[in-house]
Amino acid sequence: MDAQRVLVTGGAGFIGCHLVRVLLEDESVDSVIVYDALTYAGDLANLSEVKDHPKFKFIQGDIRDIAQVEENLSSQQCNRVYHLAAESHVDRSITGPAEFIETNVLGTFNLLETCRKLWADIDGRFLHVSTDEVYGALGETGCFDEKTPYDPRSPYSASKASSDHLARSYFHTFQFPVLVTHCSNNFGPYQHPEKLIPKTISRIMAGETIPVYGDGSNVRDWIYMEDHVEALILVMDQGKLGETYDIGGGNEEANLNLVNCICDEIDRLSDKEVGHSRELIEFVTDRLGHDFRYAIDSQKISKELGWAPQSTFESALNNTIQWYLNNQDWVKEIEAKG
Ligand SMILES: NC(=O)c1ccc[n+]([C@@H]2O[C@H](COP(=O)([O-])OP(=O)(O)OC[C@H]3O[C@@H](n4cnc5c(N)ncnc54)[C@H](O)[C@@H]3O)[C@@H](O)[C@H]2O)c1
C-alpha cells in the first residue's frame, strides 16, 4: 500500500480527534493533517495529546470557502481524505438550518471538487463519513441497511443525505475514488456536552434537571467511538471504491433507559442511593420531527471487511461516564464557548 498522507476534515471534533489519535499510531501513515474551522463544536483541546506528534499537522480552515480549501490543500499532497467536518447537531439544524446546508452540502462539494482536480495524478481515496439518519425513522422492528431508500426528516439528515448523493455522483460521473459510510449514534470521551450522554452527565453533576424529549421512548443504536474509528480505517484501507458501508453498534436503547443507566451509575460512583439522580429527569416537549427508532444492520461490513464492534455497551458507557467525571474542566471550557 502507498504511504498514506492523510487529511482529516473535522479532526478537532468528537469522532475526528479519536480517529487522528489512531491514525498517528499506524505505521502505514506518513502524516495526518487536520483541517478544521474550529467552530463551537471543534477545539484544539481535543487534540492536545497529539499536538507535538512529528506526523501531526493542524490547519485552521473552513470547508465552506473553496478558494481557501484549494489554497490549503494544493501543497499538502494528501492521498487519503477522511471527511468528517460537518454541522452535526439535529437540534441546531432545526433552529438554524442555513449553516447545515453551507457546511454539509456546499463544504462537501468544495472538498470533492478540489480533490478531484488535485488527484489527476494521485491515487487517492476519499471517505465521506455519513449518518444512519439519512434513512429516516424505523418502527418497532427492522433495521436500516445499504439498500434502504433515503428518507431524511431533519435539516441535518437532509443536508447529510444531499452530501452523500454528491459524493456518489462524483464516483459515477468522474470515477472519483469515493467511499461512503453511515454510522449510528456514537458515544465516548470528547463528545460535545450538548449531546445526550454528556449532557445527562453534566446535568447530574450540577444537580440540574435532565431534559428528556417526549416520553423518552425514542430508540437509538449506540456505538462506542473506538469501534466506529476502527470501521472507518478498515473501509478506507480495504473498502471497494464507490461502495457504501453501514456501521452499527448493535446496542439499541430507548433514550429514557439510557438516561436511567447513567443516573444509576453516577449514583453508585458517588455513594448515593440508586434512584437519587433519576429524580432530576424532566420530560420536555418532543423535538420537532423526532425520528422514533434507528437501528443498523452491519452485515455487509462484517462479511466483506471482517469488522465487528469490540466494545461491550455497559463497560464502554461506564468508561465514558468516568471520563466525563474526571474531565469536568474540559466540559466547562467547551460549554463556555457557547
Ligand atoms: N456523532 C455521531 O453520533 C455521528 C454518527 C454518524 C455520523 N456522524 C458524522 O461524523 C462526522 C463527525 O461527527 P462528530 O460527532 O465528530 O461532529 P462534531 O460536531 O463533534 O465535530 C465536527 C467538526 O467539524 C468542524 N467543522 C464544522 N464546520 C466546519 C467547516 N465549515 N469547515 C471546517 N470544519 C468544520 C468542527 O469545528 C468540528 O471540529 C459528521 O460528519 C457527522 O455527520 C456522527
Side-chain angles (χ1 to χ4, degrees), residues 201 205 269 318-331:
I201 300 168
M205 295 307 291
L269 290 170
N318 289 349
N319 285 346
T320 303
I321 293 170
Q322 194 64 64
W323 187 87
Y324 279 96
L325 298 185
N326 294 342
N327 289 277
Q328 284 292 299
D329 289 349
W330 176 88
V331 173

Side-chain angles (χ1 to χ4, degrees), residues 5-6 9 20 26 37 52 96 99 136 145 186 189 193 203 210 243:
R5 293 177 302 280
V6 181
T9 71
V20 167
D26 185 335
D52 297 323
E99 282 179 55
D145 67 20
N186 284 230
R203 293 296 177 98
I210 308 163
E243 292 286 315

